[in-house]
Amino acid sequence: QKEVEQNSGPLSVPEGAIASLNCTYSDRVSQSFFWYRQYSGKSPELIMSIYSNGDKEDGRFTAQLNKASQYVSLLIRDSQPSDSATYLCAVNHQAGTALIFGKGTTLSVSS
Amino acid sequence: DTGVSQDPRHKITKRGQNVTFRCDPISEHNRLYWYRQTLGQGPEFLTYFQNEAQLEKSRLLSDRFSAERPKGSFSTLEIQRTEQGDSAMYLCASSSTINTEAFFGQGTRLTVV
């Protein structure tokens, strides 16, 4: 059973702080890793993808991947109240197969 | 590029009725996925198409659920004899073969009463 695990939270951070969201996955041969943001009542929105070990930065977002530890994280710098949402980690264990999602971590940024 | 489009956005149906949802993927995407999401959970995979071929189907998917993608473009998801437990958001996503990034439609919220 291929699984993706996330702490459901809520994770609460003050405005301007760094939010750190974590995800572990069970299938060692997983190839592609994604972070989605989902606002309440809306559909998931892709914010980051990462395929190789190391860091990938896009604006205020940094995705980090460590395949040896089967761990992927998302850092949000200078957190804003508009970042308050559920963040979903998704893993694609083999090219051409469907994404497997975690349950999501709820982030709350207070002003 | 108009994105992934789903219709209807909301559906209320009585228990025992059949419902059908439609998904139009991003035009150049040949992969199409159906997911179901309930409150507090991540999207749960239902089934996946590459062009018109249904390549993967969740073992959790009841025989009451069927999906088609007859010409490799839009897809339909039908639920027969709906039950209250079918109440959920049904999400469609699409991706290309070259880039595995998947983009979601707005979803169809189903309420079975």
Side-chain angles (χ1 to χ4, degrees), chain A:
Chain A
Q1 178 78 10
K2 298 177 176 61
E3 294 183 344
V4 178
E5 299 287 341
Q6 295 182 257
N7 188 325
S8 61
L11 174 65
S12 297
V13 300
E15 184 175 358
I18 296 175
S20 178
L21 303 150
N22 305 313
C23 171
T24 58
Y25 57 95
S26 62
D27 190 347
R28 184 170 294 276
V29 300
S30 296
Q31 297 185 351
S32 308
F33 308 86
F34 305 90
W35 284 99
Y36 288 80
R37 177 175 62 198
Q38 187 172 30
Y39 293 113
S40 181
K42 303 295 186 182
S43 63
E45 173 193 8
L46 179 66
I47 54 172
M48 289 288 285
S49 58
I50 187 166
Y51 304 98
S52 55
N53 280 329
D55 295 359
K56 179 181 178 181
E57 186 175 319
D58 184 0
R60 295 186 296 113
F61 299 100
T62 299
Q64 300 175 318
L65 175 61
N66 184 326
K67 289 188 177 181
S69 301
Q70 296 175 236
Y71 177 92
V72 58
S73 65
L74 179 70
L75 300 178
I76 306 174
R77 290 181 300 281
D78 188 23
S79 295
Q80 301 297 309
S82 59
D83 295 326
S84 299
T86 296
Y87 289 80
L88 297 162
C89 175
V91 175
N92 183 268
H93 69 274
Q94 185 178 351
T97 60
L99 291 175
I100 304 300
F101 283 83
K103 292 185 177 181
T105 298
T106 300
L107 173 65
S108 176
V109 182
S110 56
S111 57

Side-chain angles (χ1 to χ4, degrees), chain B residues 8-9 11-13 15 19 32 47 50 52 58 61 103:
Chain B
R9 296 289 303 278
K11 179 71 176 178
I12 300 175
T13 190
R15 191 172 48 191
V19 294
L32 186 149
T47 190
Q50 179 161 310
E52 65 275 10
S58 170
L61 201 60
F103 297 90

Side-chain angles (χ1 to χ4, degrees), chain B residues 33-48:
Chain B
Y33 312 85
W34 285 100
Y35 288 85
R36 175 174 62 190
Q37 188 177 26
T38 54
L39 196 62
Q41 302 296 313
E44 174 193 19
F45 169 70
L46 296 179
T47 190
Y48 150 58

